[in-house]
Amino acid sequence: MALISFRSRMTNGIVLLIACFLAAYFLALPRWNKYQLSIAQLHDAQAQNDQLNQSLSSLQSFLDTYNSHAQDRVLASQALPTQNVDTADLLTGIDALAKASGVNLKSLELGSSSNSAAQKAIVPNSIVTQPITMTLDASYPAFKDFITRLQNHLRLIDIQSVSFKIDDAGLLQFDVILKTYYQQ
């Protein structure tokens, strides 16, 4: 009888132990899965946080660089004006260059940038040319100095053609066709 009692206790103990393991397995498995999912979400959140911090750092670096070039923006708008040719500054600049070179500016004419139909077809933020025709009296060295100053001037100006002739007084008379630009 003692043997039966020991076997039944042993069987009951083993069954109880198996039941405990099964209960623990089925109760702990959903929690374990939630734990694993939480860890994966935590790693994803940390990766996103790192990426956002890198983006923020990159943006801050860009803003610092952008703000450090404030003076460059002013110079660029002087070199390539927006919306119009900025006639007053252009004429003042050319006159100052002529006087500095010892050139006598006889005439200066701004041509039409384009007809009204073509001007309506201009795409915003495109570059538009403005022709300039001028006649000046000068010696060759003075004219050469004027052209050098014109090319080194802040305003974007290209020389299209230069022709010259000697007038009645023996002075060189230069006819120059230029073009400048502005952003529409």
Side-chain angles (χ1 to χ4, degrees):
M1 183 102 186
L3 187 60
I4 295 175
S5 166
F6 177 71
R7 280 187 183 177
S8 75
R9 282 188 185 171
M10 184 66 110
T11 306
N12 286 342
I14 291 174
V15 169
L16 184 63
L17 187 60
I18 291 173
C20 285
F21 278 124
L22 287 174
Y25 175 77
F26 285 113
L27 291 176
L29 183 63
R31 292 184 187 257
W32 179 255
N33 290 338
K34 284 183 180 178
Y35 173 74
Q36 292 295 343
L37 182 62
S38 296
I39 288 177
Q41 288 174 343
L42 176 65
H43 289 298
D44 288 345
Q46 287 174 340
Q48 287 178 349
N49 188 30
D50 290 343
Q51 185 178 8
L52 288 173
N53 284 334
Q54 287 176 347
S55 296
L56 181 62
S57 173
S58 175
L59 177 64
Q60 189 60 45
S61 173
F62 171 76
L63 287 174
D64 291 343
T65 303
Y66 179 80
N67 289 333
S68 71
H69 292 293
Q71 183 62 28
D72 295 342
R73 288 190 308 265
V74 171
L75 291 176
S77 75
Q78 289 174 350
L80 185 65
T82 57
Q83 304 303 322
N84 62 32
V85 74
D86 196 10
T87 307
D89 285 342
L90 177 64
L91 296 178
T92 303
I94 290 175
D95 185 53
L97 294 175
K99 286 179 182 174
S101 298
V103 171
N104 181 20
L105 189 60
K106 289 179 76 174
S107 69
L108 186 118
E109 181 181 326
L110 292 173
S112 169
S113 60
S114 60
N115 62 29
S116 61
Q119 204 167 18
K120 290 179 183 175
I122 294 175
V123 178
N125 295 323
S126 63
I127 306 299
V128 179
T129 61
Q130 176 72 47
I132 303 169
T133 306
M134 68 174 75
T135 304
L136 37 99
D137 291 332
S139 65
Y140 178 74
F143 177 73
K144 186 177 174 185
D145 182 56
F146 173 71
I147 294 299
T148 302
R149 288 175 189 264
L150 195 64
Q151 289 297 305
N152 292 330
H153 191 260
L154 178 62
R155 182 69 180 259
L156 295 176
I157 299 175
D158 287 332
I159 300 172
Q160 282 190 297
S161 69
V162 175
S163 61
F164 65 94
K165 61 184 173 185
I166 299 177
D167 67 1
D168 297 335
L171 292 174
L172 288 173
Q173 183 177 18
F174 295 92
D175 293 320
V176 183
I177 299 175
L178 309 168
K179 66 179 173 180
T180 188
Y181 309 91
Y182 67 95
Q183 185 177 359
Q184 186 64 28

